[in-house]
């Protein structure tokens, strides 16, 4: 059986796992709960349209903060970059090993930025263009239109920026695939 | 009344607010739920002992991943830095404007990295020293011993590192206070 056939077969299996992927039984109960504090407007209506990573995302997106939290934006206009947390609400949560379609090899969930993870919280660093009442214009998001918002934080270069950090498996992949 | 007296008075108010702080009514229900996937061992047993920010935190801490998720660490050993998400479970969630004790001015919650926020999820960038089964040795955390773990992600300098980002209100404060 060719690799392609094998992948097709796995994708058609009833549990939706690709070859080499591994799911675990989820815990019986949750431990904490979240409020959606707003949502994100982006140009991407379907997952297939989303940029593969924020580096490729130069579209201006709009973060809409629910009116209840408006006063919490005070002082944010002095900040150049934000850490935005949002909820990837369409992702399954039980995979511990994944074989993303665009990588040849399987990888542990915590070694990936995939939306599929026990707690599907995305962390994105964005550039703040401006604030108009409860609407923030930003560049650097790659999520679906309507994605629920969890948090906004100021980005501190002193603690958040590590220019020489590396992800070994990703660098090796790039060396091989060019 | 002196500034100190004023601050004392506010701290003694029954609602626990300092002068200038603002609380809102929390939403009636939660929108999503989290699993604690492990916990963090640190040298700090009381909040007063914690370093004021991760920059000052050079202690080696240990992230303990619950056995259920062990396979999700595969490939993480090739990564130099991690984004660690954890739950600040002792923080109130209803403050939109805060007057942190170490700053003279009040500030919106989303312009601060305070644990007090609608969804008390902390984001810390740490250096990974090593992995021994389900135990990760890291440098760069400043949280209490026993803090619940939410997620571990690889840190990608290409999208996560912005060396020239600035937080205007904080820079102005440092210029004034030296």
């Amino acid at each position: 059986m060719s690799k392609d056939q094998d992948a097709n077969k796995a994708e058609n299996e009833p549990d939706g796992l690709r070859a080499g992927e591994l799911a675990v039984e989820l815990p019986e109960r949750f431990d904490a709960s979240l409020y959606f504090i707003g949502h994100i407007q982006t140009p991407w209506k379907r997952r297939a349209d989303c940029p593969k990573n924020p580096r490729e995302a130069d579209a201006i997106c709009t973060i809409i903060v629910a009116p209840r939290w408006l006063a919490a934006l005070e002082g944010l206009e002095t900040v150049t970059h934000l850490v935005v947390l949002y909820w990837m609400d369409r992702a399954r949560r039980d995979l511990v090993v994944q074989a993303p379609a665009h990588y040849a090899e399987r990888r542990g969930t915590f070694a990936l930025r995939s939306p599929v993870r026990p707690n599907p919280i995305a962390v994105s660093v964005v550039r703040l263009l401006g604030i108009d009442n409860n609407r923030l214009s930003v560049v650097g998001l790659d999520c679906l239109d309507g994605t629920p918002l969890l948090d906004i934080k100021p980005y501190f270069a002193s603690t958040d920026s590590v220019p020489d950090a590396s992800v070994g498996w990703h660098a090796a992949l790039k060396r091989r695939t060019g």
Side-chain angles (χ1 to χ4, degrees), chain A:
Chain A
M1 185 156 61
S2 80
K3 228 176 174 174
D4 279 348
Q5 282 173 318
D6 186 59
N8 272 336
K9 179 180 166 289
E11 285 189 343
N12 291 332
E13 276 173 13
D15 58 4
L17 297 182
R18 295 196 184 93
E21 290 192 329
L22 185 62
V24 296
E25 196 174 333
L26 287 171
E28 276 180 28
R29 42 181 174 274
F30 291 110
D31 299 296
S33 295
L34 299 171
Y35 302 112
F36 294 162
I37 61 162
H39 66 280
I40 303 174
Q41 293 178 343
T42 79
W44 307 293
K45 308 285 183 198
R46 298 174 315 157
R47 193 174 285 194
D49 300 333
C50 293
K52 231 170 61 187
N53 78 59
R55 227 208 169 160
E56 301 159 20
D58 55 4
I60 298 175
C61 298
T62 307
I63 297 173
I64 313 282
V65 175
R68 182 191 307 266
W69 310 107
L70 181 62
L73 296 173
E74 188 179 321
L76 200 63
E77 70 286 349
T78 71
V79 170
T80 65
H81 290 75
L82 312 175
V83 180
V84 178
L85 272 57
Y86 54 89
W87 186 250
M88 298 176 287
D89 56 350
R90 307 201 193 173
R92 64 188 287 175
R93 301 173 67 162
D94 60 344
L95 290 199
V96 286
V97 176
Q98 301 178 46
H102 51 289
Y103 296 136
E105 294 162 19
R106 56 182 234 154
R107 207 77 58 187
T109 290
F110 299 144
L112 293 167
R113 289 293 273 257
S114 158
V116 173
R117 52 207 317 119
N119 295 308
I121 302 166
V123 175
S124 283
V125 177
V126 305
R127 186 159 53 90
L128 177 62
L129 301 181
I131 303 179
D132 175 14
N133 194 31
N134 68 330
R135 303 167 65 89
L136 285 65
S137 301
V138 302
V139 170
L141 289 173
D142 62 356
C143 58
L144 283 170
D145 187 45
T147 295
L149 178 69
L150 295 177
D151 200 7
I152 300 170
K153 302 176 191 289
Y155 181 96
F156 280 90
S158 57
T159 48
D160 299 323
S161 178
V162 186
D164 60 348
S166 73
V167 176
W169 67 259
H170 192 257
L173 198 68
K174 284 185 83 171
R175 279 195 298 274
R176 285 204 303 276
T177 59

